[in-house]
């Protein structure tokens, strides 16, 4: 099965449920979407995608939908989702910030920042969970589970709590920012700290899911990505409303590569429906920390698959992942849109975090990787000065308060006296 950008919309198989089915991205096998719990292909073990008999146009969104529902947020795009409404807090409708000083500093024609940290639990993961937990309800499962570098656990706990479902999260011990652990804890998840990295946690939770102990809601689950693809719809709609055109490039952090795969799927569906020309599809450009960059390695080497990195390290904890499970979907997304991938240092990430903060946009370190990557690609003339660019920032700065404190200014002690304050300010 091809993931080419211009592949026509497929015909619905007999197993489709109200025009929705699951399809293997490799062998093409198709499956009913909600009869059984299924994460990968029964026949070849490869990744699955949700498919639709009628891909959406922009006119189908919001008031143009065939059903009543929200005109903003994730469920504005219900014609491109498996249900008309999910377990919602609500989520989506995040700002597309202007950043004029950063735009001038980087040296591109237009720079906008899509800030996913403004979702209910502070990250883009909420978009996936509103759909994924709704699917869990449809399947009738009793418990949810995930491995996490932090943001997934927070979102799973919140949405699982909203749906009154038990939630289990596995975290790499000592490797998750305090703000994220606190969220999962307060929302009622059972938290297990594993003596291993994120990829080890994912190995365990996949085995638990295979044994039927819980419903897996990592991005290996194809329905997670359905919610996340609405980021792409929102970017195109908002950017076009402001600029009368679409962005040339979208730069985004890469951890498990779910967003890269999801945005590419959104664009493919719009191309299939005739709503978007192939030439108007933004170049998907992935950014990883230098200490955790298997996707960059694969792009640079022209490889068809990533090589798992067993040892990964970066202060950008949300993308400290050595085996991105969505690489088979994300690599074609980068290549088929004319994009690229780049690795950046932790220091470059922190510098970008400060530059965003100076514009009033507060993000955690992994989010700032997108801006750090854009800066590097612009210096290397991979990105041209006349490009219109959107950088995706994926999590709020308070997700990792320790990193924010270290990146910011130190408090200055002063005596309890106005003159002392004035003297200090003058100096």
């Amino acid at each position: 099965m091809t993931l080419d950008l211009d592949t026509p919309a497929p015909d619905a198989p007999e197993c489709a449920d109200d025009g929705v089915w699951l399809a293997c991205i490799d062998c093409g096998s198709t499956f009913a979407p909600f009869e059984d719990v299924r994460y990968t292909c029964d026949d070849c073990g490869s990744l699955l995608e949700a498919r639709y008999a009628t891909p959406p146009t922009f006119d189908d969104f919001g008031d143009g939908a065939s059903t009543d529902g929200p005109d903003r947020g994730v469920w504005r795009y219900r014609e491109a989702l498996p249900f008309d409404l999910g377990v919602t807090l609500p989520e989506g409708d995040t700002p597309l910030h202007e950043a004029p000083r950063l735009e001038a500093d980087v040296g591109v024609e237009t720079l906008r920042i899509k800030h996913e940290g403004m979702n209910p639990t502070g990250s883009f993961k909420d978009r996936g969970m509103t759909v994924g937990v709704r699917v869990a309800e449809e399947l009738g499962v009793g418990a949810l589970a995930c491995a996490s570098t932090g943001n997934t656990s927070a979102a799973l706990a919140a949405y699982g709590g909203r749906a009154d479902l038990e939630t289990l999260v596995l975290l790499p011990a000592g490797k998750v920012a305090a703000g994220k652990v606190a969220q999962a804890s307060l929302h009622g998840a059972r938290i297990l700290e594993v003596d291993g990295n994120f990829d080890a946690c994912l190995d365990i939770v996949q085995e638990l899911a295979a044994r039927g102990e819980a419903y897996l809601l990592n991005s290996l689950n194809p329905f997670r990505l359905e919610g996340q693809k609405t980021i792409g719809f929102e970017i195109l709609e908002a950017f076009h409303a402001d600029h009368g055109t679409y962005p040339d490039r979208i730069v985004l952090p890469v951890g498990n590569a779910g967003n890269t795969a999801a945005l590419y799927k959104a664009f493919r569906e719009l191309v299939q429906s005739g709503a978007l020309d192939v030439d108007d599809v933004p170049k998907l450009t992935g950014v990883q920390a230098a200490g955790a960059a298997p996707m960059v390695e694969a792009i640079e080497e022209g490889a068809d698959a990533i090589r798992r990195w067993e040892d990964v390290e970066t202060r950008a904890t949300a993308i400290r992942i050595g085996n991105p499970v969505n690489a088979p979907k994300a690599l074609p997304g980068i290549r088929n849109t004319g994009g690229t991938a780049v690795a950046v240092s932790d220091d470059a990430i922190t510098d970008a975090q400060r530059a965003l903060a100076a514009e009033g946009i507060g993000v955690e370190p992994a989010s700032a990787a997108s801006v750090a990557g854009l800066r590097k690609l612009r210096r290397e003339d991979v990105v041209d000065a006349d490009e219109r660019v959107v950088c995706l920032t994926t999590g709020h700065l308070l997700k990792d308060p320790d990193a924010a404190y270290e990146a910011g200014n130190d408090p200055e002690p002063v005596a309890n006296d106005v003159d002392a304050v004035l003297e200090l300010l003058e100096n």
Side-chain angles (χ1 to χ4, degrees):
M1 176 171 287
T2 179
L3 293 182
D4 289 346
L5 188 56
D6 57 357
T7 300
D11 294 327
E14 290 185 4
C15 64
D17 182 344
D18 196 22
V20 183
W21 70 97
L22 291 172
C24 176
I25 67 168
D26 281 336
C27 75
S29 295
T30 57
F31 307 94
F34 313 120
E35 286 184 1
D36 299 297
V37 173
R38 182 177 281 109
Y39 310 106
T40 55
C41 178
D42 293 4
D43 297 329
C44 72
S46 293
L47 299 178
L48 299 173
E49 274 193 341
R51 297 281 170 83
Y52 302 91
T54 308
T57 68
F58 289 112
D59 291 338
D60 294 326
F61 298 147
D63 289 341
S66 61
T67 57
D68 291 335
D71 193 39
R72 305 177 73 86
V74 166
W75 295 100
R76 166 180 172 78
Y77 306 102
R78 54 195 175 276
E79 294 292 314
L81 298 173
F83 299 102
D84 292 336
L85 191 63
V87 178
T88 182
L89 289 179
E91 52 293 311
D93 192 27
T94 55
L96 189 65
H97 289 295
E98 295 181 349
R101 295 195 304 277
L102 189 54
E103 179 182 272
D105 175 63
V106 173
V108 291
E109 180 179 317
T110 305
L111 176 61
R112 303 294 294 272
I113 309 296
K114 179 65 169 172
H115 191 9
E116 286 294 292
M118 303 308 290
N119 275 294
T121 76
S123 86
F124 73 91
K125 304 287 187 175
D126 297 344
R127 292 181 185 263
M129 291 303 171
T130 184
V131 177
V133 176
R134 174 66 183 88
V135 173
E137 290 181 324
E138 187 74 10
L139 292 167
V141 301
L144 313 175
C146 73
S148 182
T149 57
N151 285 329
T152 304
S153 66
L156 179 73
Y159 284 79
R162 183 77 168 195
D164 197 24
L165 292 170
E166 294 181 10
T167 57
L168 171 69
V169 301
L170 276 68
L171 308 176
K175 298 294 186 178
V176 178
K180 303 173 187 181
V181 178
Q183 285 181 287
S185 175
L186 185 59
H187 288 304
R190 185 169 185 182
I191 302 169
L192 304 184
E193 291 191 320
V194 176
D195 182 18
N197 61 21
F198 166 82
D199 300 302
C201 293
L202 186 56
D203 290 341
I204 294 171
V205 81
Q206 283 183 252
E207 180 62 26
L208 291 173
R211 296 185 186 187
E213 297 295 330
Y215 184 60
L216 177 68
L217 273 171
N218 282 97
S219 59
L220 179 69
N221 185 318
F223 292 111
R224 262 276 312 272
L225 301 189
E226 291 307 286
Q228 288 168 221
K229 76 183 180 186
T230 62
I231 299 171
F233 296 147
E234 279 188 13
I235 288 174
L236 294 187
E237 284 193 317
F239 196 95
H240 193 275
D242 289 346
H243 301 283
T245 187
Y246 299 114
D248 299 307
R249 186 182 301 270
I250 297 174
V251 187
L252 66 165
V254 175
N256 238 348
N259 277 338
T260 311
L263 266 64
Y264 184 50
K265 186 172 188 290
F267 302 152
R268 283 163 45 217
E269 290 177 352
L270 290 170
V271 170
Q272 287 172 348
S273 73
L276 186 67
D277 292 336
V278 169
D279 292 342
D280 287 332
V281 173
K283 299 178 177 69
L284 288 172
T285 300
V287 185
Q288 294 190 293
M295 283 282 292
V296 176
E297 180 181 71
I299 290 293
E300 290 179 345
E301 295 179 356
D304 292 332
I306 60 105
R307 175 183 64 85
R308 177 169 177 157
W309 287 25
E310 296 296 342
D311 297 315
V312 290
E313 190 54 60
T314 170
R315 73 178 62 136
T317 57
I319 54 173
R320 190 193 280 142
I321 295 173
N323 186 36
V325 297
N326 285 294
K329 297 176 179 178
L331 287 171
I334 291 172
R335 289 178 170 135
N336 293 345
T337 61
T340 188
V342 64
V344 293
S345 70
D346 278 6
D347 286 346
I349 288 172
T350 299
D351 286 344
Q353 186 184 18
R354 293 189 184 109
L356 284 161
E359 295 275 24
I361 305 168
V363 304
E364 67 171 319
S367 295
S370 58
V371 171
L374 175 61
R375 281 173 155 177
K376 182 175 181 178
L377 293 171
R378 182 70 190 94
R379 287 196 303 270
E380 295 175 351
D381 288 327
V382 175
V383 173
D384 295 329
D386 62 355
E387 288 196 34
R388 301 175 295 266
V389 181
V390 172
C391 281
L392 184 64
T393 58
T394 48
H396 196 278
L397 81 86
L398 293 179
K399 287 287 191 171
D400 193 341
D402 291 338
Y405 183 84
E406 291 173 7
N409 296 329
D410 292 330
E412 302 173 62
V414 65
N416 182 14
D417 180 77
V418 172
D419 290 335
V421 170
L422 290 172
E423 182 179 354
L424 184 63
L425 294 176
E426 290 171 358
N427 291 334

